[in-house]
Amino acid sequence: MENGWSWEQKTLISELIQGMELAKQLRVQFSGTSSSPESTDMLLQRLLNSYEKALLILRWSGPVGQSHTMGVTAGVPGSPISVNGSPGSDEFEKGLKDQQELNDVSKKRKILPRWTDQVRVNSETGLEGPHDDGYSWRKYGQKDILGAKYPRSYYRCTFRITQNCWATKQVQRSDEDPNLFEITYRGRHTCSHATNLVPAPSSPEKQEQKHNNSNNNNDNQQKQSLEILSTIRNNLRVATENLDNREMAHPFSFPSTSFGCMKSENSHFSLSELDNSALLGGFPQPFLSQASPESNYFMASPFQVSNFGGVHLQHSESEIISAHTSATNSPILDIDFSLDPVEIDPNFPFDTPGFFS
DNA sequence: CCCATTTGACCAAT
DNA sequence: ATTGGTCAAATGGG
């Protein structure tokens, strides 16, 4: 299956990614040394931002002749770490095989898009874990893995119930390098259409959910708004926690709510990020922030990329667009009862709201 | 009291 | 039977 990208485009992308990876490695090295001047960090960050933007622009313009029916074709993958031994092509083949099998026999297995990312954590900077990738996760399990030194943690989206968001992730600490975490994402977030959470109560205190509820379009959203509030609370908390980091150097600060299940503490969003949010109808992705591995792929082709900047896409179910856009206001229950959420993959990547300019 | 995490049990896939 | 993944009761924090 061809994804529509020309060879030149692919090459261009890979070159950009490579440059970005190198820049990130450089930054890691610099951040290790205490003697790195502040300006170096900032320069590197700006360098990375430039890469981000370039990649974004490239992808927004899309592959040549690509039909944009699927909306955004790809997000820029996040936080590529080292290029070390990433089994890119193997994974690609694997994904391809899976996909073929999936097409041939409609296996009723729940195969969600899955990709892994690696996050390195500066252990001494008070950062406790790789966990803040911009989404609200709820831990639901932990398991000792055979042959692994550290247990694996299982997280699901906080909004699984209320918004039928089936994104999950697994966090596995690396054996040899305890500062390295491998995070496997499964499924994508569909929780952002929590609509009217835009009014960011600048006071995170327990405002009455009921009041907001009247603002909410539906009746069954009571619990939802409650969770939203808690998310907002989390946002604020995290935002303050992370202030110590290098993130301070970043010119853009986000209104700390607004994005569904997204947390917005990744303050080094670039302008392109803002554009994203707008284009995607409030469905931002924490692109590329080195601290935010959550890099959602939104691609028309199930396996457009196999190894994109350190993010290994393992396989991806073909995207089924269940278009509950803002027009449909009660999509959750509908999906809940009429469709198997897993099989249908209620993810609605983006119905290309952004492409009509 | 509410909510998130912990943790052993359970289940499903090899 | 073993292992990875999820559930859900218990626990603990705010």
Side-chain angles (χ1 to χ4, degrees):
Chain A
M1 284 187 195
E2 204 37 66
N3 53 38
W5 294 86
S6 72
W7 183 85
E8 289 86 355
Q9 281 175 311
K10 288 177 187 170
T11 309
L12 181 55
I13 289 176
S14 77
E15 285 298 323
L16 283 171
I17 287 173
Q18 190 180 8
M20 188 166 60
E21 286 177 1
L22 292 172
K24 287 189 176 181
Q25 290 180 24
L26 197 59
R27 183 177 55 187
V28 168
Q29 291 186 10
F30 268 114
S31 70
T33 66
S34 58
S35 62
S36 72
E38 197 83 15
S39 59
T40 306
D41 224 25
M42 207 168 89
L43 282 175
L44 280 169
Q45 185 58 46
R46 290 178 62 184
L47 181 59
L48 287 172
N49 284 344
S50 293
Y51 276 117
E52 291 178 33
K53 276 191 201 176
L55 283 164
L56 270 177
I57 291 169
L58 194 55
R59 296 215 176 83
W60 282 108
S61 61
V64 278
Q66 158 133 5
S67 70
H68 284 207
T69 55
M70 289 299 211
V72 183
T73 57
V76 178
S79 90
I81 313 281
S82 59
V83 206
N84 56 0
S86 53
S89 57
D90 288 345
E91 295 294 345
F92 181 79
E93 300 298 335
K94 180 174 175 296
L96 203 136
K97 191 175 161 229
D98 287 350
Q99 184 63 26
Q100 281 172 349
E101 284 179 1
L102 218 143
N103 284 343
D104 290 347
V105 192
S106 67
K107 298 226 168 143
K108 302 226 164 156
R109 275 252 42 86
K110 36 174 151 184
I111 298 176
L112 290 174
R114 183 170 69 180
W115 62 97
T116 68
D117 196 359
Q118 294 177 316
V119 173
R120 183 167 290 127
V121 165
N122 251 352
S123 59
E124 305 311 326
T125 57
L127 222 61
E128 72 284 3
H131 305 311
D132 271 330
D133 52 17
Y135 287 95
S136 278
W137 300 101
R138 182 200 194 100
K139 189 172 182 176
Y140 67 86
Q142 177 170 309
K143 193 84 179 169
D144 284 320
I145 298 303
L146 185 84
K149 211 154 133 190
Y150 302 96
R152 178 178 299 167
S153 300
Y154 299 89
Y155 298 85
R156 45 163 236 223
C157 179
T158 309
F159 305 98
R160 164 167 281 191
I161 317 108
T162 53
Q163 299 186 41
N164 205 33
C165 180
W166 290 84
T168 63
K169 76 168 178 182
Q170 304 173 0
V171 176
Q172 176 74 62
R173 183 173 225 158
S174 168
D175 291 351
E176 50 273 7
D177 184 1
N179 290 337
L180 191 66
F181 289 82
E182 185 170 276
I183 306 179
T184 300
Y185 294 93
R186 282 169 102 185
R188 287 194 299 264
H189 286 273
T190 62
C191 48
S192 79
H193 59 288
T195 63
N196 303 332
L197 55 153
V198 194
S202 51
S203 56
E205 69 223 40
K206 298 225 168 177
Q207 290 272 344
E208 298 321 314
Q209 302 93 351
K210 289 88 190 179
H211 290 116
N212 270 5
N213 198 25
S214 67
N215 198 8
N216 254 338
N217 38 16
N218 264 331
D219 35 317
N220 71 338
Q221 310 289 350
Q222 189 165 345
K223 273 197 284 185
Q224 175 173 329
S225 61
L226 196 147
E227 291 202 9
I228 290 163
L229 276 183
S230 86
T231 297
I232 291 168
R233 203 184 52 209
N234 283 347
N235 287 348
L236 294 177
R237 173 175 55 89
V238 171
T240 53
E241 278 176 359
N242 275 357
L243 275 183
D244 51 1
N245 250 354
R246 57 223 183 291
E247 330 271 353
M248 289 183 64
H250 292 289
F252 297 106
S253 65
F254 256 52
S256 65
T257 56
S258 55
F259 296 158
C261 58
M262 268 278 301
K263 296 198 269 183
S264 50
E265 79 278 9
N266 300 312
S267 46
H268 47 286
F269 284 100
S270 52
L271 263 182
S272 53
E273 188 68 29
L274 284 168
D275 294 343
N276 272 348
S277 313
L279 284 172
L280 300 179
F283 215 113
Q285 312 137 39
F287 287 126
L288 290 184
S289 40
Q290 78 287 349
S292 71
E294 176 68 70
S295 55
N296 291 342
Y297 285 95
F298 302 99
M299 49 185 68
S301 152
F303 34 84
Q304 176 168 351
V305 194
S306 64
N307 175 13
F308 228 5
V311 183
H312 316 313
L313 182 66
Q314 299 188 339
H315 56 241
S316 166
E317 182 180 37
S318 61
E319 308 294 329
I320 301 174
I321 312 300
S322 72
H324 47 79
T325 57
S326 53
T328 59
N329 266 341
S330 57
I332 299 169
L333 281 183
D334 291 344
I335 284 186
D336 237 1
F337 294 121
S338 60
L339 305 170
D340 179 10
V342 178
E343 262 195 41
I344 286 303
D345 182 19
N347 304 344
F348 56 113
F350 306 106
D351 215 3
T352 331
F355 277 99
F356 49 80
S357 77

